[in-house]
Amino acid sequence: MTIQEIFEVIVRHTREILPGQEGRDFRLTDSLRELGANSVDRSEIIMMTLGSLSLNIPLVHMARAQNIGELASIIHAKA
Amino acid sequence: MRKPEPSDIVVSGIGVTSAVGQGQAAFGAALLEGRHGFATMRRPGRQRPSVEHPTCYLGAEMADLDIPSAIPRGLLRTASLSGQAALVTLHEAWNDARLDRVTPERVGLVVGGSNFQQREIVLAQEAYRGREQFLRPTYGMSFMDSDVCGLCSEAFGIRGFALTVGGASASGQVAVLEAIHAVASGRVDVCIAMGALMDLSYWECQGLRSLGAMGSDHHADSPALACRPFDRDRDGFIFGESCGAVVVESLASARERERTPYARLAGWAMRMDGNRNPNPSPDGEIAAISAAIARAGLAPADIDYVNPHGTGSGVGDVVELDSLRRCGLGRARINATKSVIGHGLSAAGAVELIAVLLQMRDGRLHPTRNLDHPIDDAFRWVGAEAVSHTIENALNLSIGFGGVNTAVCLQRFS
């Protein structure tokens, strides 16, 4: 599983959670918070991503991610 | 705004969602036509997932909701079916009463019902069993009924107060009573009473059937015949999904927004039997009825229409008619709304109050379905066809497990 593949899973779930993002060209530097995701939305996106990847990683490890790319990197490192 | 006199409290807006139609126009038309939606229930989680012991719970389920564009998509995504029904129903009531013109801090919301999202909870638990660590975080919010208060207050900007109240099958009417109290005390100027959609899972269906409350599968091959309040061949209530919202305020407050009330809330009462069990009590019912009529300043002979609780239960229907007779209400016209829409449980008290208001407005009483052999012929039943009738003073009853009895007198506004 590469960081790019994890990124694509995060993007897929972000599109599910955030209305109006279906056609967006997501980048690694995109911030979920700046895209309009509140704390519950962000938790949902991360949990759905971990579920899709069957990874049991505590959410607390994701707290320092500043953008989707960093989130993908953390998940990749913990996998 | 000053505290209103109790006689000044009115209903200024309504919203309703049911298995026979969404919105007051569709709901009212279906009532008068006696158009039902009873069938073997098909919503996921309504029948026990067993090949060896399949279940056949009958009920009336809503069509897909027509969701107004004004309701934020982000809220809808994680809202339960009860939450979605609450949002669309409140949307109708809110616009009907023009509540966008009321100061948000002066608006309250009382949601009637408890444990009303059981089906979605069961579905989530079954979906994540064995991989509980991936349970979606929103479960932590949505399993609580008060999530519906949060959804509604965010979507409509309610800033006064919002809370839930439980009274079993009388919850919707208990919400109406609490809304009246909130307006009468001056806590808020406008209070919305909601009967929340009770979303039963097969567990609750089984429990209610085991208890002898929910009807059997005797009519599994002919679901249209299953729901028969006050008929000799009844064997329990038949579930029906619904949600109702009633806007309660003072006449002065409604007039500030040029709203003509549907009716005056002339009298109301809640009395307990002091009994935890499901069995009804004529003493409790009579006490609630008598107190509501007295508070309205009326005599029993002034009541020209009764909308009873009338579920189709073996004992409950008999006790209710006995109570009405002993209160001197045996000559009022009477029908049974549940015969058309089913029993909404937590929603019933609010939705049936709306049925009263629509009949009062239209001057017609809806039919009582399946009333082939009334258990008491002496009452002035509305049978298989709607009838014209001018309602001046109506009485609406709700009864709930645990000895809950409520009654509301509605008076034509003139």
Side-chain angles (χ1 to χ4, degrees), chain A residues 1-17 26 28 32 42 44-55 68 71-72 75:
Chain A
M1 177 73 61
T2 66
I3 290 176
Q4 181 61 29
E5 288 169 330
I6 295 170
F7 170 78
E8 288 168 6
V9 174
I10 297 170
V11 167
R12 172 157 55 89
H13 291 306
T14 301
R15 288 193 170 115
E16 289 177 47
I17 297 295
F26 282 86
L28 288 167
L32 290 176
R42 298 197 297 275
E44 289 266 294
I45 292 166
I46 294 169
M47 192 58 82
M48 291 165 78
T49 300
L50 296 176
S52 294
L53 301 174
S54 296
L55 296 174
I68 298 176
L71 182 59
I75 293 173

Side-chain angles (χ1 to χ4, degrees), chain A residues 16-17 40-41 44 47 55, chain B residues 77 133-138:
Chain A
E16 289 177 47
I17 297 295
V40 175
D41 295 334
E44 289 266 294
M47 192 58 82
L55 296 174
Chain B
R77 183 181 59 76
Q133 67 271 33
F134 299 121
L135 182 66
R136 294 181 64 171
T138 44

Side-chain angles (χ1 to χ4, degrees), chain B residues 73-137:
Chain B
R73 303 290 109 172
L75 281 179
L76 287 167
R77 183 181 59 76
T78 52
S80 66
L81 180 66
S82 299
Q84 293 182 28
L87 288 167
V88 302
T89 305
L90 179 51
H91 181 267
E92 182 186 16
W94 191 273
N95 289 334
D96 191 28
R98 298 181 191 164
L99 296 187
D100 55 323
R101 301 186 196 172
V102 180
T103 304
E105 287 74 14
R106 300 300 299 162
V107 179
L109 170 66
V110 181
V111 175
S114 49
N115 308 102
F116 52 72
Q117 306 176 101
Q118 295 296 103
R119 186 186 63 87
E120 300 232 4
I121 290 171
V122 166
L123 289 176
Q125 291 175 350
E126 290 180 350
Y128 286 93
R129 184 158 290 122
R131 53 188 202 102
E132 291 82 358
Q133 67 271 33
F134 299 121
L135 182 66
R136 294 181 64 171

